Amino acid sequence: MRVVIQENYKKMCAWAADYIAGRINAKKDGKPFVLGLPTGSSPLGVYAELIRKNKAGEVSFKNVVTFNMDEYVGLPREHEQSYWHFMWSNFFDHIDIPHENVNILNGMSDDLEGECAAYEAKIASYGGIDLFMGGIGVDGHLAFNEPFTSLNSVTGIRVLTSDTLIVNSRFFDNDPAKVPTRALSVGVKTVTDSKEVLVLINGHNKARALANTVEGAVSQKWTASALQLHPAAIIACDEPACGELTVDTYKYFLDVEKDQRL
């Protein structure tokens, strides 16, 4: 596992965007670059920087296929808090990606289990995901894989915990009762089966989650800790998120990254 520590959120996002653009540009076999994407506040700065790079001609998304991490059950696409709406408003509408290359779970499907199975099959049809970018919750959950979700889980229906409903209520008039109680989500295994995983962790409120993800045991309690077993996992974080790392761990990752290029 690599832990790339940046001074602040802006620099973290710039580093992550550079890394993703570099991986897309390095794909020379003619096949689509398959990119997993999250929603939430953490990736917004990365999306803004990727949009800038696209408009500047530094990276193209014409041969990129995307799969999003999750979607609420029961919210139509047009709802301003649906993840479909989030992705198009904050990213896809501003880059040159073909509409048909975007894949987002349908939380309004009449057959939710079938929707999840078809999503896994479509990922497999592309030979898997080249790079999955993600974020984590304050309790270390990856996508909507809440604490104690199996680390061998695949895309499926998830029941959201009270903590997640409270945290996400900031998007729903600060009323947890308005937050959908279920979501469709890729599994922990769906993410860790990707060739590379890049997880964004920023802010002091994520410090405990970062420490448990990096220094703690691999555990269903902190589903992001499964990244410890991935051969090409990267955590990009800012200084405030490092508040609960031990001094030796913090110094170690600064040392090993000193001469690293993207």
Side-chain angles (χ1 to χ4, degrees):
M1 175 188 287
R2 290 177 65 187
V3 177
V4 179
I5 302 168
Q6 297 293 309
E7 180 181 358
N8 53 44
Y9 175 75
K10 184 177 180 179
K11 290 182 178 180
M12 180 197 80
C13 291
W15 187 93
D18 284 346
Y19 189 86
I20 293 167
R23 284 295 186 262
I24 293 171
N25 291 335
K27 184 89 167 177
K28 303 296 185 183
D29 59 6
K31 296 178 181 178
F33 186 90
V34 186
L35 179 63
L37 295 173
T39 54
S41 56
S42 292
L44 284 173
V46 179
Y47 291 148
E49 181 62 12
L50 287 173
I51 290 167
R52 185 199 66 76
K53 286 178 174 291
N54 180 241
K55 293 187 182 302
E58 298 173 21
V59 65
S60 173
F61 294 87
K62 289 181 179 178
N63 198 32
V64 173
V65 171
T66 65
F67 286 89
N68 256 76
M69 276 190 156
D70 39 33
E71 178 60 282
Y72 287 117
V73 170
L75 287 191
R77 287 179 171 182
E78 298 75 20
H79 193 287
E80 63 180 6
Q81 296 304 332
S82 76
Y83 289 161
W84 189 96
H85 185 274
F86 176 99
M87 290 304 303
W88 284 97
S89 297
N90 290 294
F91 192 40
F92 297 139
D93 274 337
H94 309 285
I95 58 173
D96 61 348
I97 191 168
H99 194 285
E100 62 271 17
N101 284 13
V102 173
N103 296 279
I104 301 175
L105 285 156
N106 178 13
M108 297 295 291
S109 173
D110 292 332
D111 179 6
L112 295 176
E113 291 184 358
E115 172 73 10
C116 294
Y119 206 67
E120 283 283 334
K122 192 165 187 181
I123 291 172
S125 75
Y126 283 99
I129 290 172
D130 291 304
L131 188 156
F132 217 132
M133 178 172 71
I136 67 171
V138 295
D139 57 4
H141 72 253
L142 186 63
F144 271 130
N145 296 295
E146 303 278 26
F148 303 104
T149 301
S150 170
L151 301 186
N152 204 38
S153 58
V154 295
T155 303
I157 305 166
R158 305 288 189 262
V159 177
L160 307 187
T161 65
S162 296
D163 284 348
T164 296
L165 298 180
I166 291 169
V167 169
N168 288 7
S169 69
R170 68 191 189 276
F171 303 116
F172 292 86
D173 302 322
N174 292 309
D175 184 355
K178 293 183 179 180
V179 184
T181 58
R182 295 191 302 161
L184 304 184
S185 174
V186 297
V188 179
K189 186 175 186 294
T190 312
V191 176
T192 57
D193 277 350
S194 305
K195 297 177 182 69
E196 291 186 279
V197 183
L198 169 60
V199 169
L200 311 171
I201 305 179
N202 63 283
H204 178 73
N205 65 326
K206 301 284 181 72
R208 184 166 172 245
L210 174 60
N212 279 278
T213 297
V214 175
E215 297 179 331
V218 176
S219 167
Q220 291 181 148
K221 183 177 180 180
W222 302 87
T223 54
S225 67
L227 297 173
Q228 294 180 31
L229 304 178
H230 195 283
I234 302 173
I235 291 174
C237 59
D238 62 6
E239 287 280 356
C242 296
E244 295 203 19
L245 291 177
T246 62
V247 173
D248 283 347
T249 298
Y250 175 80
K251 288 182 175 179
Y252 169 81
F253 283 113
L254 285 180
D255 281 347
V256 298
E257 289 293 329
K258 273 191 302 190
D259 298 320
Q260 283 272 11
R261 298 183 179 181
L262 289 174

